Amino acid sequence: MELHSGEVLQAVVAVALTVLLLLLFTAHVTAIKMPNLGLGEKEKFFLSPNSGRKELFPSIHDPPTKELSVIVPSYNEEERLPLMMDETLEYLEQRQKKNSSFSYEVIVVDDGSKDETTKVALNYSKEYGSDKVRVLTLLKNRGKGGAVKMGVLSCRGRYILMADADGATKFADIEKVEAGLKDLQSGPDNMAISCGSRAHLEKETIAKRSYFRTLLMYGFHFLVWFLCVRGIRDTQCGFKLLTREAALRTFSTLHVDRWAFDVELLYIAQCLKIPIAEVAVQWTEIEGSKLIPFWSWLQMGKDLLFIRLRYFTGAWNLEMPKKVI
């Protein structure tokens, strides 16, 4: 028995609706309603190497006492971290010498590393003092988003910069993202975000990549645009500057702890109409990436779909929790 084209179309639509309903149901029932904002008892303290004492991390709810906090998520980074820290601290120290009112802290978040990442970071804390360099050691791996979130919620800065441990972005380009932030009209709530961007390097990057990786990149960009974030060409650059108020508002409702956390962060910001700037920065690909091309993109694609579906079904919402631990 032959099927008419209309019957075929109806069958296809019925299957598509069934799949969509199944995805909506799965996304909703598997969602953890509240974001994971808590630190374990042993994770709430940082070590002051010079005194040997453990001190309690502050909260982002406290008034800022530093001009800038730099959050460095690190997982098995004992080899790449020193170059990044040397460049970062040299810049920050020179800036402080030129401007005595400028103050900073660097928080290295060891995301459950199996190597000597914490030990390497503590050497900098010993050299510069725990007022300038602090190490937050997570006992279990949370993912890059979870590590950044814990660092942000424990910082003291009026402005908060996310910076990758590989040093792929030239740290002095903080001046570019600062300029982008100042150009925004943040309004009375003082919420604004400035994102470093590698979009201007896309043609050069494509020339060096395989066809398969280029296809994955375009597929990911399309999913980001279609499902979550529009108007930002590079959501994944790990060099983002936020006002303290914007960081508190966005990270307090951030659920995704893995690679796609940047997309949820910007999705939340756009839903809340927080002004966002995108600024070109210098970027160099550094060996030792933790991304596994196919499987990482597959995981990120699933996360993008679930971000949209979970907010759509109300499994996740933009309400601030009563308390950030």
Side-chain angles (χ1 to χ4, degrees):
M1 181 178 176
E2 294 184 1
L3 293 175
H4 295 294
S5 58
E7 293 174 325
V8 173
L9 181 60
Q10 287 179 357
V12 170
V13 170
V15 170
L17 286 173
T18 301
V19 171
L20 178 59
L21 289 172
L22 183 60
L23 283 171
L24 284 168
F25 176 77
T26 302
H28 188 83
V29 300
T30 59
I32 297 174
K33 306 292 185 187
M34 298 301 296
N36 182 5
L37 304 177
L39 288 169
E41 284 304 313
K42 293 182 179 179
E43 297 171 332
K44 294 179 180 179
F45 298 86
F46 65 91
L47 177 66
S48 177
N50 293 321
S51 67
R53 296 196 310 268
K54 289 186 177 181
E55 300 180 33
L56 187 68
F57 274 105
S59 167
I60 195 171
H61 285 281
D62 301 332
T65 57
K66 297 288 182 183
E67 182 69 14
L68 175 70
S69 291
V70 182
I71 312 300
V72 186
S74 307
Y75 177 66
N76 293 340
E77 293 287 6
E78 65 175 4
E79 294 185 2
R80 300 197 298 181
L81 186 62
L83 288 175
M84 182 272 177
M85 291 292 285
D86 288 342
E87 179 190 355
T88 298
L89 289 165
E90 180 181 1
Y91 171 87
L92 293 171
E93 285 291 296
Q94 289 298 320
R95 184 163 170 173
Q96 192 172 59
K97 287 179 181 178
K98 293 177 182 177
N99 180 6
S100 59
S101 65
F102 174 76
S103 58
Y104 74 87
E105 67 172 349
V106 178
I107 300 178
V108 178
V109 185
D110 182 345
D111 189 23
S113 298
K114 298 176 182 178
D115 66 359
E116 300 296 325
T117 295
T118 286
K119 183 178 179 181
V120 169
L122 282 173
N123 287 336
Y124 287 93
S125 184
K126 184 175 182 179
E127 180 179 354
Y128 289 87
S130 59
D131 186 53
K132 290 184 175 180
V133 180
R134 294 179 174 182
V135 184
L136 196 171
T137 302
L138 302 178
L139 300 181
K140 294 182 180 179
N141 178 264
R142 292 188 182 222
K144 183 180 178 182
V148 172
K149 178 165 60 180
M150 292 302 102
V152 168
L153 297 180
S154 304
C155 76
R156 297 172 288 166
R158 187 181 307 278
Y159 298 97
I160 300 166
L161 178 75
M162 298 158 39
D164 289 342
D166 60 5
T169 305
K170 185 176 177 61
F171 192 83
D173 278 0
I174 185 178
E175 295 173 14
K176 295 179 180 179
V177 291
E178 284 176 326
L181 199 69
K182 290 177 182 177
D183 288 341
L184 292 172
Q185 297 296 321
S186 59
D189 50 11
N190 197 38
M191 290 201 285
I193 301 173
S194 183
C195 303
S197 175
R198 304 159 297 180
H200 62 294
L201 302 172
E202 193 169 280
K203 290 183 179 179
E204 178 185 337
T205 303
I206 289 172
K208 296 178 181 179
R209 282 182 173 169
S210 67
Y211 177 78
F212 180 65
R213 289 194 68 181
T214 300
L215 186 65
L216 287 175
M217 179 189 73
Y218 278 125
F220 178 76
H221 286 174
F222 172 76
L223 287 176
V224 169
W225 174 85
F226 183 71
L227 294 170
C228 299
V229 176
R230 298 186 179 183
I232 305 296
R233 294 177 63 196
D234 181 9
T235 58
Q236 299 310 111
C237 181
F239 205 70
K240 294 182 175 66
L241 182 69
L242 303 88
T243 62
R244 189 175 185 84
E245 293 80 4
L248 171 61
R249 187 65 185 85
T250 54
F251 277 95
S252 296
T253 51
L254 187 75
H255 294 80
V256 176
D257 280 344
R258 297 287 165 183
W259 298 106
F261 85 96
D262 300 81
V263 177
E264 190 194 359
L265 177 74
L266 295 174
Y267 176 82
I268 293 169
Q270 289 192 337
C271 287
L272 296 172
K273 302 189 183 308
I274 296 174
I276 304 172
E278 186 173 14
V279 182
V281 294
Q282 296 183 55
W283 184 84
T284 305
E285 190 163 355
I286 306 295
E287 292 184 4
S289 172
K290 306 298 188 301
L291 275 172
I292 303 170
F294 179 74
W295 295 111
S296 295
W297 291 121
L298 191 65
Q299 175 67 46
M300 290 171 77
K302 187 201 81 170
D303 285 345
L304 294 180
L305 179 60
F306 276 32
I307 287 170
R308 186 55 183 263
L309 293 179
R310 284 169 173 165
Y311 280 107
F312 178 77
T313 63
W316 292 350
N317 59 65
L318 299 175
E319 293 181 11
M320 282 275 288
K322 293 181 180 179
K323 184 179 180 181
V324 178
I325 299 174

